């Protein structure tokens, strides 16, 4: 296995804070209603616009700054760079850019535009490209050779991020003053305060990174919101990302997802995220779990019927057991003999698994109460070579 040892040996680093504003980061989206919502005194909620007009309204006239760009995800940066071109009527051939800018009332394609830009626009594009390069260097990669769904960032590639940002979070055309301030050290995590304008929210952040940070993402480019995300490392590659959004009056929780998802590798910009989640069925393994934004702007897990194991794990039979012709079938396809090797291909994440024998036969196995069907024996007594971690 390829381990980043210093990350896997440290304990999970999320503090469960009992005061108002504390975030139980380990909670799943379904439990998000229990996370306190922070509202500014005397303010009422501001309804979301059908979509923001501009990402950076003044980028054609005013220089952008690191506070505008350093904590922003790659998708927002790319759209912001092309927004400068779109103001001049640049004709886009890429389908996603064509659709995005085609939805803006101010965009008027002009095939006659020669690409000429002002000095301010040129400098803004150069600064955006600088942070786009940082994001490319910080791209997720496969971290373990025995499980391709274990994803992480390269070491020491997040130092460009800042503890403050100036970004319009709710699409009203006004920049929010966003700051992250240190409170105190904890045993396995640190307490910080997220400040958005006059709102303050206590958060727990992992010690796994030398540089503490937040990321601003756009979960759905068709609505007016940007979201604030905190990515955290835990033991044995157990990671999580906690999300909030700002509606002009409140910081609202969206839930916590497994995996590191505050990036355009995981998030498609249309209300969908794919996250690396640790489960245990026939062995410890990570699966790619889908989440969708619901009508309340909260992440909702979308279960699948089958999760592949990539690459397949080689097991050796310790005793005789059957493989079946179908996932629910009682028809025995053949019996696996002691010492025979089979490859675990995946399953439903609960009780059904798919295997391939050395001669290429594909069949199904089942487990109930940790006992392998057809044997009434625990998995530890039946199979060698299973991955066990977490």
């Amino acid at each position: 296995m390829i381990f980043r040892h210093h990350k896997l040996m440290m304990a999970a680093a999320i503090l469960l804070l009992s005061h108002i504003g504390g975030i139980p980061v380990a909670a799943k989206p379904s439990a998000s209603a229990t996370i306190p919502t922070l509202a500014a005194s005397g303010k009422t909620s501001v309804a979301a616009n059908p979509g923001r007009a501009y990402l950076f309204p003044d980028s054609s006239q005013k220089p952008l700054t690191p506070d505008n760009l350093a904590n922003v995800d790659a998708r927002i940066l790319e759209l912001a760079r092309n927004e400068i071109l779109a103001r001049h009527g640049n004709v886009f051939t890429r389908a996603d850019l064509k659709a995005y800018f085609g939805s803006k009332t101010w965009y008027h394609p002009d095939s006659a535009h020669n690409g000429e830009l002002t000095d301010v626009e040129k400098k803004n594009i150069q600064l955006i490209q600088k942070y786009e390069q940082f994001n490319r260097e910080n791209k997720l990669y496969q971290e373990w050779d025995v499980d391709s769904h274990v994803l992480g960032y390269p070491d020491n590639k997040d130092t460009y991020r800042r503890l403050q940002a100036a970004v319009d979070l709710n699409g009203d055309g006004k920049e929010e003053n966003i700051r992250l301030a240190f409170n105190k050290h904890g045993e396995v995590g640190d307490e910080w305060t997220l400040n958005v304008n006059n709102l303050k929210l206590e958060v727990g952040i992992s010690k796994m990174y030398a540089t503490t940070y937040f990321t601003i993402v756009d979960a759905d480019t068709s609505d007016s919101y940007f979201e604030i995300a905190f990515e955290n490392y835990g033991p044995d590659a157990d990671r999580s990302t906690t999300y909030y959004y700002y509606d002009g009056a409140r910081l609202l929780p969206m839930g916590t997802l497994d995996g590191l998802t505050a990036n355009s590798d995981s998030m498609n910009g249309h209300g969908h995220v794919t996250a690396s989640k640790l489960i245990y069925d026939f062995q410890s393994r990570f699966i790619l779990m889908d989440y969708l934004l619901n009508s309340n702007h909260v992440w909702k897990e979308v279960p699948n019927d089958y999760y592949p194991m990539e690459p397949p794990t080689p097991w050796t039979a310790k005793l005789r057991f059957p493989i079946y012709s179908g996932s629910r079938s009682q028809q025995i396809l053949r019996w696996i003999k002691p010492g025979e090797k089979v490859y675990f291909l995946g399953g439903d994440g609960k009780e059904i698994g798919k295997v391939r024998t050395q001669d290429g036969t594909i069949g199904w196995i089942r487990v109930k109460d940790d006992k392998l069907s057809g044997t009434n024996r625990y998995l530890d007594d039946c199979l060698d070579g299973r991955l066990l971690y977490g």
Side-chain angles (χ1 to χ4, degrees), residues 141-360:
Y141 77 105
Q142 179 184 329
E143 197 169 68
W144 291 6
D145 56 2
V146 296
D147 193 336
S148 66
H149 299 156
V150 183
L151 305 175
Y153 294 119
D155 287 322
N156 303 320
K157 290 295 185 181
D158 63 342
T159 54
Y160 62 91
R161 295 186 177 97
R162 302 161 70 87
L163 295 179
Q164 70 276 349
V167 178
D168 176 12
L169 292 177
N170 66 319
D172 63 358
K174 301 176 183 177
E175 291 180 354
E176 268 62 66
N177 179 21
I178 308 161
R179 291 179 294 110
L180 196 59
F182 175 75
N183 288 338
K184 63 180 181 180
H185 291 294
E187 184 176 351
V188 294
D190 294 334
E191 293 182 21
W192 293 73
T193 298
L194 172 65
N195 300 270
V196 177
N197 296 338
N198 296 320
L199 302 181
K200 294 183 178 182
L201 188 70
E202 292 181 352
V203 298
I205 298 179
S206 170
K207 288 182 176 179
M208 297 296 182
Y209 274 127
T211 302
T212 301
Y213 70 94
F214 59 90
T215 303
I216 296 172
V217 299
D218 195 355
D220 187 349
T221 59
S222 67
D223 68 26
S224 65
Y225 296 127
F226 289 162
E227 293 78 20
I228 300 176
F230 294 92
E231 294 179 314
N232 279 278
Y233 278 84
D236 292 326
D238 188 13
R239 287 84 188 260
S240 64
T241 307
T242 298
Y243 289 86
Y244 288 89
Y245 74 102
Y246 174 71
D247 71 350
R250 302 172 297 172
L251 281 170
L252 296 159
M254 300 170 61
T256 295
L257 310 188
D258 297 279
L260 304 174
T261 60
N263 54 75
S264 54
D265 297 326
S266 302
M267 187 178 296
N268 72 354
H270 301 290
H272 175 268
V273 159
T274 301
S276 179
K277 178 179 181 178
L278 176 62
I279 65 167
Y280 179 87
D281 47 11
F282 292 86
Q283 62 178 18
S284 305
R285 66 186 181 112
F286 286 79
I287 62 173
L288 295 184
M289 176 64 71
D290 294 316
Y291 297 86
L292 295 176
L293 274 183
N294 67 13
S295 58
N296 294 320
H297 210 76
V298 172
W299 292 114
K300 183 70 175 178
E301 186 176 292
V302 183
N304 293 320
D305 293 330
Y306 181 81
Y307 301 96
M309 180 65 210
E310 300 170 327
T313 307
W315 294 337
T316 301
K318 298 169 69 174
L319 51 76
R320 185 172 178 264
F321 66 86
I323 60 174
Y324 299 91
S325 60
S327 60
R328 300 288 180 181
S329 173
Q330 297 298 320
Q331 180 183 355
I332 295 176
L333 191 61
R334 57 167 285 195
W335 287 85
I336 303 299
K337 300 175 182 178
E340 188 174 350
K341 183 173 286 187
V342 296
Y343 294 85
F344 177 56
L345 303 179
D348 67 352
K350 298 174 183 177
E351 60 183 22
I352 297 173
K354 189 178 184 180
V355 297
R356 184 183 72 241
T357 66
Q358 285 187 290
D359 64 9

